[in-house]
Amino acid sequence: MDAQGRGRANDIDPADQWVLNPHTGEYELRPPAPAPKSPTVPGPRAAGEEERPARDSRRRGQSSRTPENPPPSRRRRTAAEAPPPGRRRREPVKKKSKAKRAVLWTGGTMAFVVLVGAGVGYVYLKHLEGNVTTTDIGSAGKSSFSKDEAFNILLLGTDKRTGAGNEGYGDKGSSGHADTTILLHVSKDRTNATALSIPRDLIVDIPDCPTKQADGSTKVIPGLTDVRFNRSLGEGGRDPGCTMRTIKENTGITVDHFMMADFNAVKTLTSAVGGVPVCLEHAVDDPDSKLKLPAGESTIEGEEALAFVRTRHSWGNQGDLDRIKVQQQFMASLMRKMSSGDTLTSPSKLLKLAEAATKALTVDTGIGKVSTLKDVAMELKKVPTKNITFTTVPVLDNPAETVKATVVLNEAKAPAVFEAIQNDVSFTEVKQQKKKEKAAVAARLKGAKSDASEVRVRILNGGADAGSAQTTLRWLQTEEGVTKSENAGNAPEALSKTTLEYAPEQADQARRLADIMGLSGSAMKPGESVANSQGLPTMTLTLGKDFKGAGVPLTASSKAPEVDNKSTADKVQCAS
């Protein structure tokens, strides 16, 4: 992706065009009004379009002027624009920004968060949408965004040498590997989020990957076994959908959408906000990255900021894991800077930020529209920085190597981290649900229970091991007395959690089956019944990826596992 090459000959300079509409209270993007031929005759403009003064002509001592007696430097209003007779013109009151709790996931999304919260108009958001590049990843992700569910967004930084001034970075001739990868999980209740870094040198299996071609056809790129994770992007034509499939293959976590940026994102974003504060425990002078900073606090931007996040030789054991930790600290600092008062109250910074970020951003078609990006931004805005956890996939040095260059999953720790994300469990101490919601979920298990012989249920496999539906059916019928049960095959789509859907009149049956299966209240889904093979109303039990076998309780843990090097976005940390 060449972020610099997407400019247009007629690009608008938003710093001159972003104006406040006094009737709506929103900022709108519009071209400057043409100069009038006469000081008393307004120039032509589109119907309903307001006139923008060249500058604010209201000064002290002029507040009593009426539209019938305007100052010489201001045009007359048309009859349609004039206020009711006898009323003085009042200056519009700028709405107070609602973006004080805005947070950063990527620069582009952050720009939308801030601008939406500040009341920017649809026209300008549509302009920003034109800056964003989209990629069709087919079935690798979701085709739409839901505001009522937890969601996972893959944040990708590539090492592709694109854009003016980037010739000296990255691997020469690189097709754009997954140089920096963060899986962002945002909780259903928006109280917390987890940013999980995936090491580029992690050994994984890359599955076969169907990719959309320029002519509309689909090409299947063969998978690979026991290779570095960063090869899941770029090599052989693999798109971000291939990286999403690789994550699902190796962690069990389904990724919904992606956002990808190249080197330009770091340089342009940090310059747009006037630099990012960083803290170093020791001075750095790295000839490879050309990073030279003193111990203590510094403010970096542009090329210096890019060198900061790319250097490995300056931190810890000079490996990628130490660089990941420093990148997380940098992102947290950038979040704080973007949501600080001096950024939020500066229209010029907001505009530069939005323009720079969206021009460096590529997303999937499922979130590429302005309305969807706005929805994503508003949901992200709800998460407080104190509950944004940065952590890294637990790994170990690859035991197959004498000279350690790659890592493998720590099988003793990694599965618990993946399971916590799948089960929407926070890594910070927050209330997962509002009290009323929590009480309602718990209440699903309370009440009368039918006899097991009266429970009618159809069982589907929605991500459990092959044969799980039939095994569970046999167990329910022969050992638990649930004789009115049947195997309904595979579910239309895989689920991370096992669910039991039932109609209101089947609540007593649902409670009995939940008791037998060891289901929690959150696994019970009040809804509708379906007809079984005899045409009778029946509940639906869908075995998800969390299913551990017939008779094994499915009550998910509500507490996340302890992880090393965990940090939160609100805390200042020094790179070491």
Side-chain angles (χ1 to χ4, degrees), residues 372-407:
T372 309
L373 283 170
K374 179 179 178 180
D375 288 341
V376 174
M378 296 307 290
E379 294 307 305
L380 295 178
K381 176 183 170 184
K382 298 175 182 178
V383 184
T385 55
K386 68 178 181 178
N387 291 331
I388 304 168
T389 301
F390 285 98
T391 189
T392 304
V393 172
V395 295
L396 299 170
D397 287 335
N398 189 346
E401 296 175 336
T402 302
V403 178
K404 304 303 181 184
T406 62
V407 292

Side-chain angles (χ1 to χ4, degrees), residues 185-187 189-194 383 387 425-426 428 430 432:
H185 171 79
V186 181
S187 70
D189 61 10
R190 309 301 188 246
T191 62
N192 66 93
T194 302
V383 184
N387 291 331
V425 177
S426 174
T428 56
V430 297
Q432 294 296 303

Side-chain angles (χ1 to χ4, degrees), residues 433 441-442 444-445 497-499 519-525 556:
Q433 295 173 308
V441 169
R444 295 171 190 168
L445 295 171
K497 297 181 181 180
T498 297
T499 61
L519 300 178
S520 64
S522 61
M524 300 174 68
K525 182 181 177 183

Side-chain angles (χ1 to χ4, degrees), residues 36-279:
K37 297 180 180 179
S38 167
T40 59
V41 180
R45 58 180 179 274
E49 178 178 301
E50 291 193 35
E51 186 174 271
R52 181 192 174 198
R55 57 191 175 92
D56 189 352
S57 59
R58 182 179 181 182
R59 300 184 178 92
R60 292 183 181 178
Q62 294 181 335
S63 60
S64 61
R65 289 187 181 273
T66 65
E68 289 74 22
N69 183 29
S73 62
R74 190 171 65 195
R75 300 176 188 171
R76 293 183 183 275
R77 293 175 179 267
T78 64
E81 293 175 312
R87 293 183 62 182
R88 295 180 180 179
R89 179 181 181 274
R90 297 181 62 186
E91 290 293 317
V93 178
K94 185 180 291 187
K95 292 185 178 181
K96 185 177 180 181
S97 171
K98 296 180 180 179
K100 293 298 183 181
R101 290 174 58 199
V103 294
L104 168 74
W105 308 118
T106 67
T109 301
M110 178 61 185
F112 269 82
V113 171
V114 175
L115 291 170
V116 169
V120 68
Y122 174 84
V123 175
Y124 187 63
L125 290 180
K126 194 68 177 177
H127 163 72
L128 291 180
E129 178 185 307
N131 291 343
V132 179
T133 298
T134 59
T135 297
D136 186 352
I137 55 173
S139 61
K142 289 186 176 180
S143 60
S144 60
F145 175 75
S146 174
K147 296 187 287 185
D148 301 319
E149 299 176 350
F151 60 92
N152 298 316
I153 295 182
L154 183 64
L155 309 181
L156 286 167
T158 74
D159 61 359
K160 191 173 183 179
R161 293 184 178 189
T162 56
N166 289 327
E167 296 82 4
Y169 298 117
D171 296 329
K172 186 175 182 180
S174 172
S175 55
H177 294 121
D179 194 54
T180 299
T181 306
I182 297 177
L183 176 63
L184 174 70
H185 171 79
V186 181
S187 70
K188 182 177 181 179
D189 61 10
R190 309 301 188 246
T191 62
N192 66 93
T194 302
L196 180 69
S197 292
I198 302 176
R200 68 177 191 176
D201 297 326
L202 175 65
I203 296 299
V204 297
D205 291 340
I206 299 176
D208 292 346
C209 180
T211 58
K212 295 285 185 178
Q213 304 299 299
D215 61 1
S217 63
T218 299
K219 176 184 177 181
V220 178
I221 302 174
L224 299 170
T225 302
D226 291 336
V227 295
R228 280 180 166 88
F229 174 82
N230 67 345
R231 295 177 64 182
S232 65
L233 178 68
E235 183 179 300
R238 293 188 178 89
D239 63 13
C242 298
T243 308
M244 295 164 68
R245 296 176 191 274
T246 300
I247 290 175
K248 184 175 181 180
E249 174 81 10
N250 292 273
T251 70
I253 301 172
T254 300
V255 185
D256 304 313
H257 304 284
F258 84 88
M259 293 181 177
M260 180 171 67
D262 60 13
F263 292 138
N264 290 300
V266 175
K267 295 194 291 186
T268 56
L269 286 176
T270 53
S271 295
V273 297
V276 176
V278 294
C279 176

